Amino acid sequence: MDPDAVAKAFVEHYYSTFDANRANLAGLYQDASMLTFEGQKIQGTRQIVAKLTSLPFEQCKHIISTVDSQPSGPAGGMLVFVSGNLQLAGEQHALKFSQMFHLMPTPQGSFYVYNDIFRLNYA
Amino acid sequence: MDPDAVAKAFVEHYYSTFDANRANLAGLYQDASMLTFEGQKIQGTRQIVAKLTSLPFEQCKHIISTVDSQPSGPAGGMLVFVSGNLQLAGEQHALKFSQMFHLMPTPQGSFYVYNDIFRLNYA
């Protein structure tokens, strides 16, 4: 499968899951997974999902502007770099964000998120 | 050495070199290196440096806002995620940018840039 198509499918799945029910993102992480969220470092599925579900907004919608991807090396990983807008319920202005994922293959032929770094850009 | 300190030192070196003389960035790339610049995919030291040196501005200054880093896996690589402002000579307003690097170790104990993805955020 075309790596750019894999990246695009991952991004659509990730953000539609985030916007519908963040707790369901648990299936995309493993215990070795790392998240750096606005500078805060978190490791492990349970800890990452606890962070994402405790963010101080109930409803949000990610609007994706760009998706770039590159293979990360011989282990079969893939880097995915996203920019877009985050619209919070009840807020007039959307927040710009950038996020990068390092996806690693699973034995089942799928991918999980090994690295995840998120930053708001305060437009 | 602390990975965050390595990332910070790399970022300072990279952007001060970029702002002083982009051609000198050649030493940070190898033939397997990939750059995606505003969606355009480029591979190889010579091609990457040709792209960077042909950008349509003479002088610029990168002002770094955030630097995040994570280890990328057992091969000893490191992911570096940067956000900041790009001030072009003669332009009143700076452009926001985000950039990610995947640094891989060299046999000499240094790092080279294996992956590089750059995006302007059009603030």
Side-chain angles (χ1 to χ4, degrees):
Chain A
M1 195 174 175
D2 171 29
D4 285 342
V6 173
K8 195 159 179 289
F10 167 79
V11 165
E12 285 171 7
H13 176 60
Y14 183 90
Y15 292 109
S16 64
T17 304
F18 194 116
D19 295 348
N21 184 352
R22 279 167 254 172
N24 289 343
L25 293 171
L28 293 174
Y29 294 95
Q30 295 192 4
D31 284 347
S33 302
M34 289 165 264
L35 167 66
T36 304
F37 188 91
E38 285 283 278
Q40 184 189 357
K41 295 185 180 200
I42 300 148
Q43 183 156 10
T45 305
R46 196 167 53 81
Q47 291 79 355
I48 290 170
V49 171
K51 175 67 185 178
L52 296 178
T53 54
S54 70
L55 293 173
F57 49 84
E58 289 290 320
Q59 289 191 310
C60 66
K61 184 166 173 52
H62 290 81
I63 300 117
I64 304 309
S65 301
T66 64
V67 179
D68 294 305
S69 66
Q70 291 180 359
S72 68
M78 182 158 50
L79 295 165
V80 183
F81 186 85
V82 183
S83 72
N85 289 279
L86 175 59
Q87 181 70 56
L88 305 184
E91 298 283 338
Q92 191 176 357
H93 298 291
L95 302 164
K96 280 180 186 285
F97 75 93
S98 304
Q99 188 162 13
M100 60 142 296
F101 301 95
H102 185 199
L103 307 181
M104 290 299 287
T106 66
Q108 293 77 32
S110 185
F111 287 94
Y112 73 97
V113 178
Y114 184 70
N115 302 97
D116 180 352
I117 301 179
F118 176 91
R119 279 283 178 185
L120 291 171
N121 295 315
Y122 307 111
Chain B
M1 195 175 175
D2 171 29
D4 285 342
V6 174
K8 194 158 179 289
F10 167 78
V11 165
E12 284 170 8
H13 176 60
Y14 183 90
Y15 292 110
S16 64
T17 304
F18 194 116
D19 294 349
N21 184 352
R22 279 167 255 172
N24 289 343
L25 293 171
L28 294 173
Y29 293 95
Q30 294 192 3
D31 284 347
S33 301
M34 289 165 263
L35 166 66
T36 305
F37 188 92
E38 285 283 278
Q40 185 189 355
K41 295 184 180 200
I42 299 147
Q43 183 156 10
T45 305
R46 196 166 53 80
Q47 292 79 357
I48 289 170
V49 172
K51 174 66 186 178
L52 297 178
T53 54
S54 71
L55 293 173
F57 50 84
E58 288 291 319
Q59 289 192 309
C60 65
K61 184 165 173 51
H62 291 80
I63 301 117
I64 304 309
S65 301
T66 64
V67 179
D68 296 305
S69 67
Q70 292 179 359
S72 68
M78 183 158 50
L79 296 165
V80 183
F81 186 85
V82 182
S83 71
N85 289 279
L86 175 58
Q87 181 70 55
L88 304 184
E91 298 283 337
Q92 192 175 357
H93 298 291
L95 302 165
K96 279 181 187 283
F97 75 93
S98 304
Q99 188 162 13
M100 61 143 294
F101 301 96
H102 185 199
L103 307 182
M104 290 299 287
T106 66
Q108 293 77 32
S110 185
F111 287 94
Y112 73 97
V113 178
Y114 184 71
N115 301 96
D116 180 352
I117 301 179
F118 177 91
R119 278 283 178 184
L120 291 172
N121 295 314
Y122 307 110

